[in-house]
Amino acid sequence: MKRLGITAKLVLYSAAVLTALGATVTVYSVSQLHALLYQETVQRVEAQALNWIEANTGPIILSDDPQTLGRLVRELKRREGIVYVILLDARFHQKAAIGTPRNLTVLNAGKPSEENGMCWSEVQDAAGRQYFELTAPISAAGTGMSPDLGTLFGAAASSPTWGELRVGVDREEFDRAATALVRKNIRLAVALISVSIALSVAFAKRM
């Protein structure tokens, strides 16, 4: 009985230590996964927006054709993770949009990047659905266009910035993806802890 008591105590002690260690590692890894997923989303959407602006600066600035601008914003909306696109001119008049939720209000406004002027904000629509919204300035600077085109656009506008692009990412879709990763990580942690406890039991029985 004494031997069984020592074995049971060893198993319980090992299980407690492994469970605590596994829980600590899981909590830390979950927070890191969430941060990494957010960073990956930010980088992907920013790259999509920048590429779109660089490829379409000319039509955006020089064209007032609603069909042309509408086609351009539809092309951007087809990119991964983007649920709405809003194109504004320098006076914040809407030039084109697609998928825009009703009555968007800003919950948490971000600060523009000193590098490229982009900023991220958290917004909410009339139904309470939340989004991450990227705001990107549109100008000839930094688009990679030729100096001649830059001079032409400069002569056609009184401001170096001709407007801005707003791109929305569904917060619920992001949270679902994060939850899926978290669940997968938790299942893996539970499996590893269970295997470790089973090995502890087997080792204790041999004592």
Side-chain angles (χ1 to χ4, degrees):
M1 295 294 293
K2 184 177 180 181
R3 184 179 179 182
L4 289 176
I6 294 175
T7 300
K9 289 179 181 179
L10 180 59
V11 170
L12 289 174
Y13 177 77
S14 300
V17 171
L18 290 171
T19 301
L21 179 61
T24 301
V25 172
T26 300
V27 170
Y28 176 77
S29 61
V30 164
S31 65
Q32 292 299 305
L33 279 173
H34 193 277
L36 287 173
L37 181 61
Y38 177 77
Q39 189 63 29
E40 188 272 337
T41 301
V42 166
Q43 291 176 349
R44 185 186 70 248
V45 176
E46 286 185 355
Q48 291 169 339
L50 279 175
N51 290 338
W52 182 85
I53 291 172
E54 290 180 359
N56 300 291
T57 300
I60 291 170
I61 295 172
L62 298 179
S63 175
D64 286 327
D65 181 17
Q67 292 185 347
T68 298
L69 298 178
R71 175 179 56 80
L72 293 178
V73 296
R74 283 196 300 272
E75 290 176 356
L76 180 56
K77 185 180 179 295
R78 296 192 188 104
R79 309 289 175 85
E80 181 184 356
I82 295 176
V83 295
Y84 69 82
V85 179
I86 305 171
L87 182 64
L88 305 173
D89 63 16
R91 296 182 180 180
F92 300 103
H93 296 153
Q94 182 173 297
K95 299 181 70 175
I98 185 170
T100 310
R102 291 189 305 109
N103 300 328
L104 286 174
T105 57
V106 178
L107 300 177
N108 184 18
K111 294 182 178 180
S113 167
E114 295 181 0
E115 180 180 354
N116 54 26
M118 290 185 170
C119 73
W120 284 88
S121 303
E122 294 182 32
V123 300
Q124 180 175 287
D125 65 14
R129 197 180 186 101
Q130 296 185 6
Y131 306 85
F132 296 122
E133 184 178 89
L134 170 66
T135 301
I138 299 175
S139 68
T143 60
M145 65 173 57
S146 70
D148 292 339
L149 284 176
T151 302
L152 173 63
F153 293 153
S158 59
S159 171
T161 299
W162 289 279
E164 67 181 26
L165 173 70
R166 296 180 182 176
V167 176
V169 177
D170 194 335
R171 176 69 181 266
E172 289 186 8
E173 291 185 6
F174 172 82
D175 289 340
R176 280 195 294 270
T179 299
L181 285 176
V182 167
R183 289 176 177 172
K184 183 178 180 180
N185 193 68
I186 291 175
R187 287 196 297 267
L188 178 60
V190 170
L192 291 175
I193 292 173
S194 300
V195 170
S196 300
I197 292 174
L199 291 175
S200 298
V201 172
F203 176 76
K205 287 182 177 179
R206 292 189 176 187
M207 294 181 62

